[in-house]
Structure formats: structure tokens, C-alpha cells
Amino acid sequence: MDHESRTPLKTRTLVAQGFGAVEPVTRGLVSPIHMSTTYLRDADNGYSNGRIYGGSDNPSVQQAGAVIAALEGAQDALMFGSGMAAASAVFQALDRPTHLLASQGIYYGLRSWLEEIAKRSGHTVTFVDTSNLDLVRAAVRPGETGLVWIETPSNPLWSITDIAAVADIAHAAGALLCVDSTVSTPIFTRPLALGADLVVHSATKYLNGHSDVVAGALATTERSAMWERIGRVRAQVGATLGPFDAWLLMRGMRTLHVRVTAQARTAAKLANRLVGHPALSAVLYPGLRDHPGHEIAVRQMVGGFGGMLSIRVKGGEPAAVAVAAQVELWKRATSLGGVESLIEHRASIEGAGTPCPPDLLRLSVGLEDVDDLFMDLVQALGATTGSFSRL
């Protein structure tokens, strides 16, 4: 497909077509898995085909990166062996110890990494509620802060950070902005278009969507010196994605648009039905009109508010754990973004020091029927708390 000569494709078409990939030898509509780790050198000692070695030169891996770059409106994208590998590469590529500013509600694995490994590398780290711009302005250090890292919607409280506003604050201080957009996906939010310099995904989640791949992705607005260092970090620490996982990821991304839009519709219906349930003290979902970040979410999440929500159960942690034990359709498992619906008590998996309330259950909405999912939750809430369901 000649991508330069035609009108830019809509996102739904782009992912369904796999960026127009066709296997050139057989003309197969599904690309093969390119398993080779090394490539033949020319007689003159060169590499005229542009491929030398490993995952960074693998066509299957590069194809997945090309689709993600197109989805994000990025100049380039790199694939990693996990979301954590992608995220940590950004910090490892900083050219000197610096001050880091991060959302208080970022993925707990990355928060632990920043508190332990990043600080040992000489960085200082400040965690703030980035949904509060006054706190961001107060915490950033002009000339000292090298990187601002935000996650929006934040997991698992689903607070919303204004990407464009934080980009302005970060750039005025001489810092880069990286956005973890795993939950929103490029279907609903394109952080680079809102001023971010980098966007990261745990591609394990929605991009793949089938709970059978561990992968990560980074996309950038420009091939800067920082971007080149990120690429070298990926190679030096062996954080590349394998070709079979890249092929599975490509298969998953072909249904990305239809999956996440359906999941977001179901999540919105569930959130609205659960509001006011007598067994719950709160329903957390940015699509709800009374959510404190709703107006910002309307501006920067186009077409939906994501397939994730959380509920807070009256009776605290024992009641929340008991509700999770009573569901039948919802699967008690960690992760998110798959075709099956998951329920998880986050505080117990994050452990001591977690900012997650102990009465909170995180819900990742899959592709099941909304009425079935709702009734399963209602029976679990009723069986645990003895409350009457509001149908």
C-alpha cells in the first residue's frame, strides 16, 4: 500500500488492515513470523538489506512498531519485551542524574522501580497528584527536572491528568513529558498530539488484548539524541521483543478498535448502573459526569473513557475480598485489557505503602454481555453484604 499517496486512514481502518502489510513473496494477507536472529552479509562486507542482527532488525518486530507509530502519530516507535522494559529504558537513557516528577498513581511496579533503582542511579523522585496542576507547578524544578512522567487515566483510581497543560509546565521547566497511555490506548487518546514527547504502552494489555503476550512499546515525536539512547539501552540490556510475540501482538491489534470501543461502552453502562448501589461507597470511572476529571477526559479522550473502572465496597477490605470471591463470570486475576473480564483486589497485590484504598476492587471489562456482567456483580455484592440489589 502506498501510504504517502492517499488520504490518511482512519484508525479503525489502519489497525484492521495491519497498516497494509502483505507478505511480498506469496502475497499472503497475513505476514509470516520472521524467526531469524541474523542476516546474510554482502560480499563487499555490507548489509544492503539494512538488517544485521536480533530483535531490533526483525521484520515482525518492526511491523508491530510501525503500526503503533502510525496509531500514535509518532515519528518512530520501539518494541520491548515488556511494559516495564519500555518504561525503565526511558529513565536509563537520561544522560545525567536528574530530578524526576511522576504521577502519584502510576503503575505500582514502576513506582517501586523509581523508588529503588532510579534513586540508586542518582536521580531524585517526587510523586504528586498530577491531576492537580497547582501541585505540578509547585513540584517541578526549572532547570533541574529532566523528565515528567504521568499516567492518565491513573491505575486504579482513574484520576485524569490534563496532558496538554502538564506538557506546557514540563517544557517551560526544560523537561520532557512521557505519558503512560496503556489504559486509554491510541484509540481514545493520542498524547503526542497533546504535547507529550514520549508515549509508553504495556502492550500486554489492550494493544494485544488476548492475555497471551507480554510486550511493551515506546513512541516519540522525534528521533532525538534521547531517542537514540533509548534504542541503545534496549539493545544493551537485551530488552527486545521476540518475533512470535510481535506476530501475536499484530494479530491482536487488528481488532483493537472494535475491542476497546465495545469495552468502553460496557464499562460506562456498568458504572452508571452501579452508582448508588447500597453496598458501594463509590464508583470510580472518568465517564461519570460527577467524576472530578470528567471535563478534562471529555477533551482528551475521544470516543470513549476506557474499559476500566473501580468500585469501593462498604465494609472495607474484608468485604471487598469477599465480593471478589463470590463472582462467577469475572475472573480473579491481575492484568487488564483482555477479552475476558477481570476483578482484582489491588491493595493486597501491591503490598505495603500502596496508595490504593483497601476497600477497592479494580474491574477490567471484557467483551461479555453487559447484563451478564452486571448481574454477576450484583449477586456477589448481595451475597457478601446482604444488601438488596437495585436493578
Side-chain angles (χ1 to χ4, degrees):
M1 179 183 293
D2 183 357
H3 302 293
E4 303 298 327
S5 64
R6 60 168 61 228
T7 303
L9 298 175
K10 299 290 180 61
T11 301
R12 180 168 177 166
T13 303
L14 190 155
V15 292
Q17 292 272 326
F19 207 32
V22 174
E23 201 284 310
V25 176
T26 67
R27 307 298 291 165
L29 292 181
V30 177
S31 296
I33 307 171
H34 292 273
M35 296 301 295
S36 182
T37 60
T38 191
Y39 304 89
L40 188 65
R41 200 165 190 164
D42 300 334
D44 64 1
N45 214 36
Y47 284 99
S48 58
N49 69 355
R51 304 186 193 281
I52 300 174
Y53 181 77
S56 59
D57 290 338
N58 183 278
S60 297
V61 176
Q62 290 175 335
Q63 184 183 13
V67 171
I68 291 172
L71 285 172
E72 290 291 358
Q75 191 175 103
D76 198 11
L78 292 173
M79 303 306 302
F80 290 78
S82 69
M84 273 299 300
S88 60
V90 175
F91 298 98
Q92 293 175 82
L94 293 167
D95 61 355
R96 63 184 183 279
T98 187
H99 174 245
L100 308 172
L101 181 62
S103 296
Q104 193 168 25
I106 60 173
Y107 169 58
Y108 85 107
L110 180 59
R111 183 185 177 101
S112 298
W113 190 93
L114 289 173
E115 290 174 335
E116 298 174 18
I117 299 176
K119 287 183 178 179
R120 287 206 302 269
S121 301
H123 299 297
T124 56
V125 186
T126 301
F127 296 99
V128 298
D129 176 4
T130 53
S131 68
N132 185 325
L133 295 179
D134 289 335
L135 293 180
V136 177
R137 294 187 187 96
V140 75
R141 304 175 189 173
E144 295 182 31
T145 304
L147 180 69
V148 177
W149 184 283
I150 63 176
E151 180 178 330
T152 183
S154 70
N155 179 4
L157 297 175
W158 317 121
S159 64
I160 299 295
T161 294
D162 188 328
I163 297 172
V166 173
D168 288 342
I169 296 170
H171 295 156
L176 296 173
L177 173 63
C178 184
V179 177
D180 184 339
S181 196
T182 296
V183 168
S184 188
T185 81
I187 303 303
F188 298 134
T189 305
R190 299 177 77 189
L192 301 183
L194 296 172
D197 302 286
L198 299 164
V199 59
V200 65
H201 291 277
S202 174
T204 309
K205 311 304 194 297
Y206 285 103
L207 294 185
N208 174 58
H210 290 78
S211 303
D212 56 9
V213 167
V214 175
L218 274 172
T220 183
T221 54
E222 62 173 337
R223 294 185 178 93
S224 61
M226 173 73 169
W227 186 249
E228 295 301 320
R229 290 196 299 271
I230 290 172
R232 289 197 296 274
V233 167
R234 182 182 70 159
Q236 290 162 354
V237 303
T240 54
L241 182 65
F244 182 52
D245 285 340
W247 186 87
L248 286 172
L249 177 59
M250 275 297 303
R251 180 212 59 185
M253 285 195 293
R254 285 181 179 251
T255 59
L256 175 64
H257 193 284
V258 293
R259 282 189 288 105
V260 299
T261 51
Q263 288 164 312
R265 286 195 300 269
T266 299
K269 290 178 181 178
L270 287 173
N272 279 285
R273 291 187 191 185
L274 289 167
V275 167
H277 191 286
L280 301 178
S281 60
V283 177
L284 310 178
Y285 184 66
L288 294 173
R289 292 185 180 277
D290 62 353
H291 185 284
H294 179 70
E295 291 185 7
I296 297 170
V298 169
R299 292 204 307 269
Q300 69 185 29
M301 298 184 75
V302 179
F305 301 97
M308 301 294 299
L309 68 149
S310 294
I311 55 176
R312 299 187 65 176
V313 183
K314 292 178 181 178
E317 181 172 358
V321 172
V323 169
Q326 290 290 327
V327 294
E328 296 177 1
L329 288 178
W330 297 80
K331 306 303 181 187
R332 292 180 297 277
T334 194
S335 198
L336 55 96
V339 296
E340 61 286 304
S341 293
L342 305 180
I343 187 169
E344 184 177 28
H345 183 254
R346 285 300 299 171
S348 57
I349 199 168
E350 294 186 13
T354 176
C356 181
D359 61 356
L360 181 143
L361 292 173
R362 186 183 75 178
L363 307 178
S364 172
V365 176
L367 294 179
E368 302 92 342
D369 182 85
V370 62
D371 294 328
D372 291 338
L373 292 173
F374 178 65
M375 293 305 298
D376 193 37
L377 281 174
V378 166
Q379 68 82 23
L381 289 166
T384 302
T385 65
S387 60
F388 292 100
S389 303
R390 180 175 63 83
L391 301 179

